[in-house]
Amino acid sequence: MTQPHTATPATAPRDLAGYRAVFVHAHPDDEAITTGGAIADLAARGADVLVVTCTLGEEGEVIGETYQHLVADEADQLGGFRIGELGASISNMRARSEFLGGAGRFRDSGMAGSPASRNPRAFVNAGPEAVELLAGILRRERPHLVVTYGPDGGYGHPDHIHAHEIAHAAAEQVGVPRILWAVRLAEGTAALMPDRAPDGWRLPEDGELDGVERSDIRLELNDAAYSAKIEAMRAHATQLWIADGRVSATNPHGALAEGPVVYYALSNLIVQPIQRVEHYQLGAGVPVTDPSGGLLGGIER
């Protein structure tokens, strides 16, 4: 059964001081899209939150004309640029950040079967080395909680799947009390779709967006956590277009979608809602027995 919890405002007591959480993500922007509300909530409540990112996202596409030529098959400078975007995102959520093995140690593998996946430095080819590097971080941090993706990586990206695999292997090696998977409920996404897409965008077709049918914990985001998540996503301007009418130096075009939440799109320009709730499933370890502690509820300090 889903355990409800409402994210705590930044002005609330720091009731989670002394707790530590590590989020393991594949590329810059994953931390904001899938877990930005939880990261902001935990940090606001006093928990020490570290985001470990496994690649620079070199194989990404680019939104907006300004930095179009940074992509992998042209200047191949996108990964370095995205370091700055990730730093701004993490700052908005008041967390800490590091790259697995250092910035650039592992390269974005691209989608399954792509030429990028055959690069010896591709993250999917990391093997035991990646597990040992992450285990070293977990031994140093001694987290009460590790958060990553489910076995399918959320939507099947090979780097997301490998992040899941190494997170479980490292956490089990070190003895982390709880592993959670970030998921998105399909029915919640469908219920929030606007009536129409912004000009040049489109609404998703049936089954086009990832989604699951159930979750173990439901994290409801208040204004502070929701705003922090949106600003963290906005920091990844080469990858995410926020449909709130604003423009930036990266993307000098505004888009506006009207509905009950704020909306965004990736480079495919498919409308997606930034939901005021995040969902998680128990991957291993101690179940969530005390919803008041959010993702850390029920774990002894």
Side-chain angles (χ1 to χ4, degrees):
M1 177 181 294
T2 296
Q3 298 276 3
H5 168 68
T6 300
T8 304
T11 55
R14 294 169 63 82
D15 60 322
L16 297 182
Y19 281 105
R20 297 171 297 279
V22 173
F23 288 70
V24 180
H25 282 292
H27 316 104
D29 79 11
D30 294 326
E31 81 294 335
I33 297 171
T34 59
T35 59
I39 293 172
D41 176 49
L42 292 174
R45 297 175 66 181
D48 185 353
V49 182
L50 173 67
V51 177
V52 177
T53 308
C54 298
T55 78
L56 301 181
E58 297 94 333
E59 296 296 317
E61 297 177 341
V62 171
I63 294 172
E65 306 94 285
T66 310
Y67 298 110
Q68 280 290 320
H69 300 292
L70 296 183
V71 293
D73 59 356
E74 294 193 46
D76 196 17
Q77 297 294 308
L78 181 58
F81 188 85
R82 293 184 72 178
I83 293 174
E85 292 186 333
L86 177 63
S89 170
I90 297 294
S91 178
N92 278 305
M93 297 180 292
R94 298 194 292 173
R96 296 185 293 122
S97 175
E98 70 178 84
F99 286 97
L100 184 67
R105 174 63 187 85
F106 301 111
R107 187 177 175 90
D108 185 345
S109 308
M111 296 305 292
S114 70
S117 68
R118 297 191 289 273
N119 187 318
R121 291 182 49 250
F123 179 55
V124 292
N125 301 321
E129 180 188 10
V131 175
E132 290 306 313
L133 286 169
L134 183 56
I137 293 172
L138 299 184
R139 289 190 189 96
R140 182 193 74 209
E141 296 291 320
R142 297 178 296 110
H144 301 86
L145 168 70
V146 164
V147 181
T148 188
Y149 320 99
D152 67 349
Y155 67 99
H157 194 294
D159 285 339
H160 286 228
I161 293 171
H162 198 45
H164 162 88
E165 292 169 346
I166 72 162
H168 269 264
E172 290 161 8
Q173 185 181 125
V174 173
V176 176
R178 176 181 294 153
I179 305 174
L180 291 180
W181 305 338
V183 296
R184 181 163 64 171
L185 292 193
E187 64 178 6
T189 300
L192 291 171
M193 282 298 166
D195 293 332
R196 60 180 297 273
D199 292 344
W201 295 25
R202 68 176 178 87
L203 297 175
E205 298 178 3
D206 290 344
E208 196 166 24
L209 300 180
D210 64 278
V212 299
E213 295 182 356
R214 54 159 287 272
S215 69
D216 299 319
I217 182 168
R218 170 188 174 92
L219 184 70
E220 297 178 0
L221 309 181
N222 64 3
D223 289 346
Y226 188 64
S227 296
K229 176 169 183 162
I230 292 170
E231 291 309 306
M233 291 177 65
R234 192 190 310 280
H236 294 285
T238 62
Q239 307 302 302
L240 307 175
W241 192 344
I242 311 298
D244 61 358
R246 293 172 59 177
V247 301
S248 69
T250 301
N251 181 13
H253 306 287
L256 185 64
E258 296 183 1
V261 296
V262 178
Y263 298 86
Y264 78 102
L266 303 171
S267 59
N268 58 18
L269 301 186
I270 298 174
V271 178
Q272 302 190 55
I274 305 177
Q275 300 185 38
R276 296 194 68 110
V277 59
E278 290 178 355
H279 292 272
Y280 296 86
Q281 293 177 347
L282 180 66
V286 181
V288 178
T289 56
D290 176 15
S292 67
L295 303 191
L296 286 162
I299 300 177
E300 293 187 8
R301 212 170 313 231

